[in-house]
């Protein structure tokens, strides 16, 4: 079986709200979070088609008096992702059982370079796709088709795991069985996958 994982909040911890609270005073933290993480323009970072400064300007437009805080938070984003202790052992166990493991993530280029330690699990996988390199994001059907084509994945023999309901539906819409990740343990996840 081919098992495809999302990255953020599945293979790595990514707690944006807690992170902002470490860098921004309490009176502005919610506004900065909403201007950035809660902003639909965040997906443009993941798509990788707009310069970072253009996206930052879109964030700042949502909270102009928080420009300094937004820029500070953005400059420190590499400190958010933390590799989960269970990720590499889980990948190794799946491969030991004869399965291939891939990743498929909406991820932006700045973070690829700013958080390499959190992404070291990628060396354990059989491959994967970062959205910023392809200029398409989940749940666009094209990104699911692309990973299948690139790695010879047969949809009927694959499962996709993501913490976003819309991304789970996106996979299902192209014929890939999908599991919504809600914090399951490795054993619970293996049971759901059927391995």
């Amino acid at each position: 079986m081919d098992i495809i994982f999302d990255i953020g909040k599945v293979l790595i911890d990514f707690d944006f709200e807690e992170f902002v609270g470490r860098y921004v005073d309490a009176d502005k933290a919610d506004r900065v979070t909403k201007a950035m993480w809660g902003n639909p323009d965040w997906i443009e970072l993941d798509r990788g088609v707009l310069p970072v400064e253009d996206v930052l300007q879109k964030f700042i437009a949502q909270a102009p008096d928080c420009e300094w805080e937004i820029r500070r938070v953005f400059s420190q984003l590499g400190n958010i992702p933390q590799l989960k202790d269970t990720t590499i052992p889980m990948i190794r166990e799946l491969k030991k059982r004869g399965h291939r493991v891939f990743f498929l993530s909406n991820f932006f280029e700045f973070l690829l370079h700013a958080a390499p330690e959190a992404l070291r699990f990628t060396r354990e996988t059989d491959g994967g796709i970062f959205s910023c390199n392809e200029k398409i994001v989940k749940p666009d059907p094209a990104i699911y088709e692309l990973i299948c084509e690139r790695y010879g994945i047969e949809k009927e023999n694959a499962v996709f795991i993501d913490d976003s309901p819309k991304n789970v539906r996106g996979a299902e819409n192209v014929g890939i069985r999908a599991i919504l990740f809600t914090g399951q343990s490795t054993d619970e996840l293996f049971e759901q996958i059927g391995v």
Side-chain angles (χ1 to χ4, degrees):
M1 185 182 306
D2 290 331
I3 300 151
I4 309 163
F5 287 96
D6 174 40
I7 295 179
K9 298 189 177 184
V10 178
L11 299 180
I12 63 173
D13 288 319
F14 193 93
D15 189 338
F16 191 86
E17 294 84 352
E18 184 275 332
F19 175 78
V20 170
R22 282 191 268 148
Y23 286 88
V24 178
D25 291 340
D27 61 323
K28 289 187 174 180
D30 284 347
R31 292 178 56 235
V32 168
T33 297
K34 193 174 289 184
M36 297 178 74
W37 189 243
N39 189 324
D41 289 313
W42 185 281
I43 202 73
E44 297 309 319
L45 284 173
D46 293 334
R47 197 185 317 275
V49 293
L50 289 178
V52 166
E53 183 59 30
D54 289 6
V55 179
L56 273 171
Q57 288 300 326
K58 290 173 181 284
F59 295 163
I60 292 162
Q62 298 298 313
D65 62 319
C66 297
E67 177 173 0
W68 184 86
E69 289 83 0
I70 289 170
R71 289 187 181 279
R72 181 168 190 230
V73 166
F74 190 86
S75 73
Q76 298 299 315
L77 284 179
N79 295 319
I80 301 181
Q82 300 296 320
L83 181 62
K84 293 183 179 185
D85 293 340
T86 54
T87 294
I88 290 176
M90 178 179 66
I91 292 170
R92 287 177 177 167
E93 181 60 27
L94 287 168
K95 291 175 69 73
K96 186 173 142 188
R97 295 184 188 190
H99 306 288
R100 294 197 303 167
V101 178
F102 301 92
F103 61 87
L104 177 61
S105 184
N106 289 351
F107 216 86
F108 63 101
E109 188 173 4
F110 173 83
L111 209 50
L112 287 178
H113 305 294
E117 182 63 18
L119 298 174
R120 72 180 189 278
F121 71 87
T122 59
R123 296 190 294 266
E124 305 281 339
T125 69
D126 295 286
I129 287 178
F130 291 112
S131 61
C132 61
N133 294 334
E134 310 302 333
K135 312 305 183 211
I136 45 177
V137 293
K138 297 176 293 183
D140 186 326
I143 201 165
Y144 304 98
E145 298 288 354
L146 179 61
I147 196 167
C148 290
E149 288 168 22
R150 185 168 293 169
Y151 296 105
I153 296 170
E154 297 175 3
K155 293 176 189 173
E156 61 277 6
N157 190 42
V159 64
F160 173 68
I161 298 125
D162 199 299
D163 66 307
S164 163
K166 70 180 179 184
N167 294 342
V168 164
R169 284 192 302 275
E172 291 171 339
N173 289 342
V174 299
I176 300 171
R177 183 167 68 95
I179 295 168
L180 180 65
F181 185 77
T182 57
Q184 297 94 315
S185 69
T186 298
D187 287 343
E188 290 168 335
L189 204 50
F190 281 13
E191 187 174 338
Q192 283 184 274
I193 294 169
V195 295

